[in-house]
Amino acid sequence: MTSQEVRLQFLNFFKEKNHKIVPSAPMVMKDDPTLMFTNAGMNQFKEFFLGNSIPKSKRVTDTQKCLRVSGKHNDLEEVGKDTYHHTMFEMLGNWSFGDYFKKEAIQWAWELLTEVYKIDKDSLYVSVFEGSDDDNLELDQEAYDLWKAIVPEDRIIMGNKKDNFWEMGDQGPCGPCSEIHVDLRSKEEKAKVPGASLVNQDDPLVVEIWNLVFIQYNRKANGSLEDLPEKHIDTGMGFERLCMVLQGVKSNYDTDVFTPLIREIETITGHKYGKKEETNIAIRVVADHIRAVAFAIADGQLPSNTGAGYVIRRILRRAIRYGFTFLDTKQPFIYRLVNVLSERMGKAFPELPKNHQLIENVIKEEENSFLSTLEQGLVLLDSVIASSKGKTIDGEKAFELYDTFGFPIDLTSLILQEKGYQLDVEGFEKALKAQKDRSRAASEVSKDDWTVLQQDAEQEFVGYDVLESNVKLVKYRKVSSKKEGDQYQLVFNLTPFYAEGGGQVGDKGYLEAPNGDVVYIVDTKKENNEIVHFAEDLPKDVSGTFKAVVDKEQRFHTACNHTATHLLHQALREILGTHVEQKGSAVHSKYLRFDFSHFSKMTPAELRDVENFVNARIAGQLPFEENRNMPIKDAMEQGAMALFGEKYGDTVRTVRFGQSIELCGGTHVKNTAEIWHFKIVSEGAVAAGIRRIEAITSEAAKEFFFKNNQMLFEIKDVLNTSQDPVKAVVSLQEENASLRKQVEQLLKDKAKGLKNDLIAELKDINGIQFLGKKVDLDAGGIKDLAFEMGGQVTNLFLLLASENDGKAILSCYISKDLASNKGLNAGNIVRELGKHIQGGGGGQPFFATAGGKNPSGIPAALANAEELVRATR
Ligand code: ATP
Ligand code: MG
C-alpha cells in the first residue's frame, strides 16, 4: 500500500464514522505564546477542549504536520540516530469534542488497524494508565475493561505517568491515554524475548504507533488537576510509522515516504545508504531535516537569528554539518532535494510546489553561509589548538566557537579527537548552562491561574464598529516576567480592543471604572482564541461594569497603515508581477513593513511606480467594503488574497478597496482618502529572494516631508544663494575640484624649486655627495624628492628630516652603486639615527625611513649622519 493510500484510508474510515475531514493547521504557530510549533494534532483544537470556543463539528479527522524540536516534546537529538523519530512528521488523528469517549475511540482504533489495514493482531500490544500517587489518580479501569473485551490480558501493559498520561505543556488540557504498540521482530526473536517486555523500552522494532488520549483534566499553574466540563477524545498516530508497518519494512526510512529522498541524496553525494552506520545516520538526518525546513519555509517561517526562525536554522545547520562531515559535501546540496520532496508531497500539501523556488533559494543561501562558517571555524579551531599547552582544549574556548560562530560542539570534539586532542567537556557544559540560565532568567514568565468571575463561552469583538463600549470582566490573572514586570491579563465579555494578529499590532487604551478610576491597557493579544488585555493594574473592584476605551489616535494611524499595506500588495503584484507574494507584514501606528518574494532589487523607477500606484488609489477615495461572513470558496473565486501558513475557517472576512481584495481580520480606514499620502522609506533584502519595503503614511508622511523641507531651507541658508541649491552644490564641487588641482600644481612647483636648492647645497665629502637637512614636506613628498635627486646626482647620500604634528621623520637615500661599493645600508643607518628622535624604522639598503616622537633630536641626527659619511672610506 502506498503512503498516499494509507493516508486516504485513514481519513475515509473516520469520514464514514461521521467525522468531518479538516486540513492540517500550519506547523508554525502564529498566535499561541506558549508554543512555537505544532507538536501534536490537538494543538489547533485546544480552544475547544478549554471551552473557549464551540466547534462547528463535534467529530473531526485530519493529518497534522507536527514538529518536535523544542519545548516539552523535543526529539531532535534522536533523529537520524534511530529509525522512527522525526523532526517533522504527520500525525493522523480523530477527535471528539464532548461527543464520544473511550469506548468508541478504542473500538474504532482496533477495527481500523486489524480489519481495514489488516495488521496481525498478534503483533499488537496496548497500554493503560496505571494511576499516579502524585496526582492522586487511580488506574484507568474503564480503558482496561474496554481493552480486555478485545485483546488477551497479557497484551495489556500498565503504563506510568511518563508514558500514559498525555500533556501538551506545563499547563492546559490533559488526560490518561492508551497507546498501541507494534512488534515488528522476526518469529525467532519473538520466541526468545516476549514483546510485552520491550514495550516503551526504546527498541526500534517494538514501537508505539498510536496514542489514544482521553482528555478529561486541565493542569493548573500550581500543578493540580481540575475536571474539564466535558470529556474529549484526542488521538494521534504517526503516519510514517504506520507506513513502515503496512509496507512490511523495519525502518521509517525504508518506506516510500523517504526512499525517493534517500535515492536522491545517494545520487548527489555518491554515498550509498545501508553500507556504514555513520553514513546511514547522516543520510537519515538530511532526508528528515529537509522536510522540516521546507515545510517551515512554506509556512512562512524563514531561518533567522531568534525564536522559531532560529530553531529552523539550527535544524538546517545540523543537516549541513552531517553532510559536511560524513557525506563530504563541501558545496550546498540540500536545496537540490526540494524537487523530489515537492513532487512526492505536493499533492497532499500544495504549499510545497507553490513555494518551491523560494524554498530552494533560502536553503541554498543558508547552506552557503554556514559552509563558510564551518571553514572559518576550522581555521579558528586550529589556532585554538596551536595556542593550547596540553592535550586538552579549554571548554570555554569551545563554547565561544559554538556560541559566536555557530560551530557545532560535536564537530569540535570530533576534529579534536582526530588530531589527538581532547575537549574539556565539563568546562563546555558549564559555560553552556551558565548561558542558558541567563537567558531563561531573562525570559521567564510565571502565570497565575485564571480567576473566573463568570462563565461566558464566546466573547465578542465589537471593535470593527466602535472604539468604546461597556464591558464586564469575565476572568483575570497575574503574569510576571523580568521584561515586563507584573501585569494583569484581563478577558471581557465583549471588547472593542483589537488583538495583535495578521501583522497588525494590538490596541492600547484604558478601562474606566464607574467611580472614575482608570486602568491602562498596554497591549492586546490573542491566546487560545480569546482576546487577552494586558493591564498594568487590576481594577480595585472587579465586579462592576467598565467603560473600555481604545486609543483612537493609535488605532487610526494603524488603520491607515493597514489599508496602505493592502494597496502596496496590489501595487507590487501589478508592477513587478504575480510572483510577488506576501511573506511577512508588520502594521504599526508609525510605519508599515512588508516582506514579499521577488528576486532582484527594485529599481528607483519601480519604487516610484509603486508609490504612484498607491497614491493614485488614495486620491481615488476608494470606500472600504467589507464582508464579515463570506464562504471561503466565494472569496477565493472573487480573487481574494489568502496567505499560506494562515488558518482560515469556512467563512471568512473580506476587505475590499477598489480592485484590492484580501482575506483580512484587521482594522481599516473608511475611505482611502484618510491615508493622505503613502511614502516608501526603504527597500532591501531580508533573505534570498525576499525583499522588504518599509513605508509611512498620514501623520508620519507629513512629518517626513516637513523635516525634509526644513533641511532644504537650512541648506539654502548655508549656501547663502538664491540659486537652485542643487546647482549651487554642483558648482561648489566643481570649484573645489579645480582648486585642488591648483594646490597640487603649486606643491609640485615648490618641490621642484626645493630640489634645485638642495642640489646646490650638496657637500662633497670624500667623493660622496652629502646633504643632511630638515625640510618642510610630508613623508611621500620627501620620498619623491629623494628619488628625483638620485636620478640626477651620482654618489648621493641624503638624510632628510621633517616634523609633523609633533612627530619626527628621518628619510635616508643612498645611490645604489654607492651603497654596494661602500657597504652602506640605509635601513641600518635610520635605525641607528632613529635613537635621536626616540623611534625606529627600517627599509631597503638604498632607501629607508624612521619615525619617532622627539623632533628636538633632529639636529643631532643630521650631525650624526654627516659624521658617519666622513668616517666612510
Ligand atoms: P515515542 O515514545 O515513540 O517518542 P510519544 O509518546 O512521544 O512517542 P505521542 O506524543 O503519543 O508519542 O504521539 C502520538 C504518535 O505520534 C506516536 O504514537 C507516534 O506514532 C508518533 N510520533 C511521536 N513522536 C514522533 C516523532 N518524533 N516522529 C515520528 N512519529 C512520532
Ligand atoms: Mg516522544
Side-chain angles (χ1 to χ4, degrees):
M1 195 187 295
T2 66
S3 53
Q4 307 261 16
E5 289 161 356
V6 172
R7 195 189 283 117
L8 266 180
Q9 279 206 355
F10 181 93
L11 298 175
N12 284 335
F13 176 83
F14 284 104
K15 191 175 164 192
E16 277 165 22
K17 308 242 182 274
N18 293 324
H19 288 62
K20 180 170 179 223
I21 302 179
V22 300
S24 171
M27 189 173 77
V28 183
M29 286 284 183
K30 293 272 155 61
D31 50 10
D32 189 334
T34 60
L35 267 187
M36 264 194 248
F37 303 104
T38 297
N39 64 10
M42 59 85 70
N43 299 159
Q44 70 160 319
F45 304 121
K46 225 167 62 170
E47 61 199 67
F48 302 146
F49 294 140
L50 287 169
N52 292 346
S53 351
I54 300 155
K56 290 215 177 69
S57 336
K58 289 191 156 206
R59 296 179 182 190
V60 303
T61 179
D62 68 352
T63 179
Q64 172 65 49
K65 299 175 276 186
C66 297
L67 190 60
R68 292 198 169 176
V69 290
S70 58
K72 193 173 170 76
H73 294 276
N74 185 349
D75 294 333
L76 183 61
E77 285 313 314
E78 295 318 309
V79 175
K81 294 184 186 145
D82 76 17
T83 48
Y84 59 105
H85 279 97
H86 302 295
T87 52
M88 182 243 158
F89 62 99
E90 282 180 61
M91 201 187 273
L92 300 164
N94 57 295
W95 314 87
S96 152
F97 306 120
D99 189 30
Y100 65 84
F101 203 45
K102 294 182 192 177
K103 178 160 164 264
E104 292 83 348
I106 287 176
Q107 282 174 358
W108 289 342
W110 194 254
E111 181 188 335
L112 176 63
L113 292 181
T114 61
E115 285 168 36
V116 178
Y117 288 137
K118 302 210 181 324
I119 299 175
D120 179 9
K121 285 181 190 152
D122 292 339
S123 67
L124 295 175
Y125 291 87
V126 301
S127 65
V128 168
F129 179 53
E130 67 185 5
S132 149
D133 292 342
D134 297 354
D135 287 318
N136 217 353
L137 292 176
E138 299 191 338
L139 158 81
D140 187 354
Q141 189 66 45
E142 187 184 356
Y144 190 90
D145 292 340
L146 287 164
W147 281 119
K148 206 171 71 177
I150 327 179
V151 297
E153 264 182 284
D154 61 357
R155 297 199 159 260
I156 307 176
I157 289 151
M158 290 300 157
N160 58 19
K161 181 169 160 186
K162 184 182 137 277
D163 289 320
N164 279 75
F165 194 87
W166 205 89
E167 307 199 43
M168 178 194 65
D170 295 332
Q171 275 164 265
C174 54
C177 59
S178 264
E179 303 162 339
I180 302 174
H181 297 257
V182 186
D183 183 354
L184 296 171
R185 294 172 309 148
S186 66
K187 259 201 193 116
E188 296 77 45
E189 282 166 292
K190 284 181 182 167
K192 270 187 247 157
V193 183
S197 68
L198 296 175
V199 165
N200 276 333
Q201 299 302 318
D202 296 332
D203 188 305
L205 294 179
V206 184
V207 296
E208 175 190 330
I209 54 166
W210 203 347
N211 194 355
L212 316 179
V213 184
F214 314 124
I215 300 232
Q216 54 193 103
Y217 305 110
N218 181 30
R219 174 79 67 190
K220 306 212 313 178
N222 64 7
S224 67
L225 295 173
E226 71 184 4
D227 279 334
L228 285 174
E230 286 190 295
K231 295 187 167 69
H232 317 279
I233 287 296
D234 150 13
T235 85
M237 173 143 66
F239 169 65
E240 298 77 6
R241 291 187 193 177
L242 177 63
C243 290
M244 159 173 80
V245 177
L246 298 181
Q247 295 180 359
V249 290
K250 299 199 186 283
S251 152
N252 286 6
Y253 294 91
D254 292 335
T255 65
D256 68 349
V257 180
F258 285 98
T259 46
L261 285 169
I262 291 180
R263 293 294 91 81
E264 188 72 8
I265 297 169
E266 289 179 327
T267 311
I268 296 174
T269 66
H271 285 270
K272 280 264 162 278
Y273 185 64
K275 288 252 150 62
K276 196 166 150 205
E277 190 53 9
E278 242 174 37
T279 318
N280 293 349
I281 292 177
I283 291 180
R284 290 197 289 260
V285 163
V286 174
D288 174 277
H289 292 7
I290 177 68
R291 295 180 0 126
V293 174
F295 274 94
I297 297 172
D299 264 3
Q301 183 57 64
L302 300 181
S304 74
N305 260 339
T306 51
Y310 188 55
V311 177
I312 298 302
R313 172 166 283 168
R314 277 198 359 242
I315 299 175
L316 182 51
R317 286 184 169 182
R318 188 169 183 262
I320 301 171
R321 171 253 176 294
Y322 269 89
F324 182 83
T325 316
F326 302 107
L327 306 174
D328 304 315
T329 45
K330 311 297 177 218
Q331 296 295 323
F333 77 105
I334 298 171
Y335 77 97
R336 290 165 65 186
L337 303 170
V338 176
N339 246 337
V340 175
L341 181 68
S342 161
E343 265 169 31
R344 302 292 307 184
M345 298 194 74
K347 264 224 178 82
F349 301 95
E351 62 268 39
L352 278 185
K354 184 101 207 274
N355 289 285
H356 188 142
Q357 193 60 47
L358 174 75
I359 299 171
E360 270 191 16
N361 287 341
V362 170
I363 293 181
K364 187 174 177 191
E365 183 171 279
E366 282 284 313
E367 285 190 85
N368 266 323
S369 100
F370 190 56
L371 284 169
S372 74
T373 301
L374 285 179
E375 264 157 34
Q376 278 169 20
L378 291 177
V379 174
L380 279 169
L381 189 56
D382 276 340
S383 77
V384 171
I385 291 174
S387 68
S388 79
K389 301 227 167 59
K391 283 274 164 193
T392 305
I393 301 295
D394 192 15
E396 288 264 350
K397 282 260 157 59
F399 178 74
E400 227 173 86
L401 265 173
Y402 162 83
D403 192 38
T404 18
F405 301 98
F407 202 71
I409 189 63
D410 52 346
L411 185 56
T412 304
S413 62
L414 196 83
I415 293 168
L416 291 179
Q417 234 171 33
E418 283 166 8
K419 302 200 172 192
Y421 285 81
Q422 265 183 328
L423 172 70
D424 161 25
V425 180
E426 234 168 74
F428 174 80
E429 297 285 340
K430 219 171 104 188
L432 182 67
K433 185 170 176 302
Q435 190 216 37
K436 279 197 175 149
D437 289 348
R438 277 195 303 275
S439 65
R440 185 168 320 122
S443 67
E444 206 153 46
V445 187
S446 81
K447 293 177 183 167
D448 287 359
D449 282 320
W450 290 105
T451 302
V452 179
L453 301 172
Q454 47 175 303
Q455 288 300 339
D456 186 284
E458 252 172 306
Q459 114 218 83
E460 200 185 338
F461 173 61
V462 295
Y464 288 140
D465 305 309
V466 294
L467 294 183
E468 258 186 55
S469 54
N470 289 329
V471 304
K472 280 183 125 5
L473 200 53
V474 169
K475 61 180 184 178
Y476 66 87
R477 70 175 170 188
K478 188 169 146 190
V479 291
S480 317
S481 69
K482 260 240 161 73
K483 202 163 143 231
E484 311 285 354
D486 284 353
Q487 284 188 330
Y488 289 87
Q489 297 187 336
L490 315 176
V491 174
F492 308 128
N493 60 337
L494 58 86
T495 179
F497 282 74
Y498 179 81
E500 182 183 311
Q504 183 179 328
V505 291
D507 276 337
K508 290 183 171 47
Y510 64 89
L511 201 61
E512 192 182 314
N515 67 358
D517 277 357
V518 161
V519 166
Y520 288 97
I521 306 284
V522 293
D523 203 355
T524 313
K525 290 187 172 154
K526 242 186 194 165
E527 190 174 324
N528 296 323
N529 208 26
E530 271 181 336
I531 299 174
V532 179
H533 307 77
F534 291 69
E536 289 171 333
D537 291 300
L538 190 64
K540 281 198 194 71
D541 174 12
V542 293
S543 65
T545 298
F546 302 92
K547 194 161 86 183
V549 184
V550 174
D551 178 338
K552 276 199 200 78
E553 282 276 297
Q554 194 210 353
R555 169 69 89 79
F556 171 68
H557 292 131
T558 308
C560 287
N561 284 333
H562 204 149
T563 304
T565 300
H566 285 201
L567 299 176
L568 170 63
H569 191 183
Q570 187 197 2
L572 289 169
R573 288 175 66 92
E574 196 76 28
I575 287 153
L576 301 179
T578 48
H579 62 279
V580 166
E581 265 181 24
Q582 175 169 342
K583 288 295 163 204
S585 150
V587 179
H588 291 256
S589 60
K590 295 205 163 58
Y591 70 97
L592 66 95
R593 201 175 69 207
F594 190 74
D595 296 348
F596 57 100
S597 46
H598 181 56
F599 297 106
S600 52
K601 180 159 185 59
M602 287 179 68
T603 64
E606 284 168 342
L607 287 169
R608 208 174 41 240
D609 287 350
V610 168
E611 272 181 359
N612 287 343
F613 184 99
V614 174
N615 283 318
R617 271 137 200 90
I618 292 171
Q621 308 191 2
L622 304 174
F624 167 65
E625 298 167 73
E626 78 170 331
N627 185 331
R628 292 195 194 157
N629 222 343
M630 189 184 277
I632 185 151
K633 228 177 80 246
D634 298 358
M636 301 315 275
E637 268 166 24
Q638 291 189 9
M641 291 286 175
L643 301 180
F644 270 113
E646 265 332 304
K647 185 172 136 192
Y648 295 111
D650 296 340
T651 59
V652 291
R653 175 175 183 252
T654 58
V655 170
R656 177 195 280 277
F657 290 96
Q659 297 303 309
S660 150
I661 163 160
E662 300 209 10
L663 303 189
C664 177
T667 62
H668 289 270
V669 293
K670 291 276 162 270
N671 188 297
T672 56
E674 292 174 52
I675 301 172
W676 187 70
H677 195 82
F678 168 82
K679 176 86 196 106
I680 293 175
V681 290
S682 74
E683 190 270 349
V686 253
I690 302 212
R691 313 289 309 173
R692 167 171 294 173
I693 280 184
E694 287 184 318
I696 49 179
T697 64
S698 69
E699 280 305 310
K702 271 183 204 163
E703 184 110 326
F704 176 86
F705 289 122
F706 177 78
K707 274 202 182 131
N708 277 329
N709 206 28
Q710 181 93 353
M711 191 157 46
L712 190 61
F713 274 117
E714 280 169 25
I715 290 171
K716 274 188 179 165
D717 213 33
V718 175
L719 289 170
N720 196 15
T721 153
S722 56
Q723 229 186 342
D724 167 2
V726 177
K727 275 194 189 138
V729 169
V730 169
S731 79
L732 270 181
Q733 280 174 334
E734 283 167 359
E735 192 180 327
N736 190 26
S738 100
L739 285 175
R740 182 173 297 137
K741 261 198 196 130
Q742 284 181 32
V743 169
E744 276 164 14
Q745 190 55 44
L746 282 173
L747 285 174
K748 263 192 198 141
D749 292 349
K750 182 179 158 196
K752 206 166 169 192
L754 187 62
K755 184 180 79 181
N756 292 334
D757 290 351
L758 293 183
I759 288 178
E761 280 182 55
L762 286 170
K763 281 188 213 169
D764 186 328
I765 302 174
N766 303 325
I768 299 174
Q769 303 302 313
F770 170 76
L771 180 67
K773 192 177 166 77
K774 187 172 165 189
V775 293
D776 186 16
L777 285 176
D778 63 3
I782 290 182
K783 187 174 176 186
D784 291 345
L785 178 69
F787 277 79
E788 272 190 39
M789 285 175 70
Q792 241 171 298
V793 181
T794 46
N795 285 340
L796 181 65
F797 187 125
L798 280 179
L799 184 76
L800 296 179
S802 68
E803 187 182 337
N804 234 323
D805 287 338
K807 296 211 176 79
I809 296 174
L810 300 177
S811 300
C812 179
Y813 179 93
I814 305 173
S815 299
K816 274 189 184 158
D817 285 348
L818 180 63
S820 63
N821 291 342
K822 304 272 181 185
L824 292 172
N825 185 323
N828 294 341
I829 292 168
V830 291
R831 210 166 293 129
E832 193 56 34
L833 298 178
K835 288 177 187 157
H836 293 290
I837 55 166
Q838 289 182 18
Q844 288 154 297
F846 57 94
F847 185 76
T849 54
K853 53 183 182 219
N854 178 27
S856 63
I858 288 178
L862 297 175
N864 200 175
E866 183 164 345
E867 276 163 30
L868 207 144
V869 171
R870 287 190 187 284
T872 303
R873 287 284 169 253

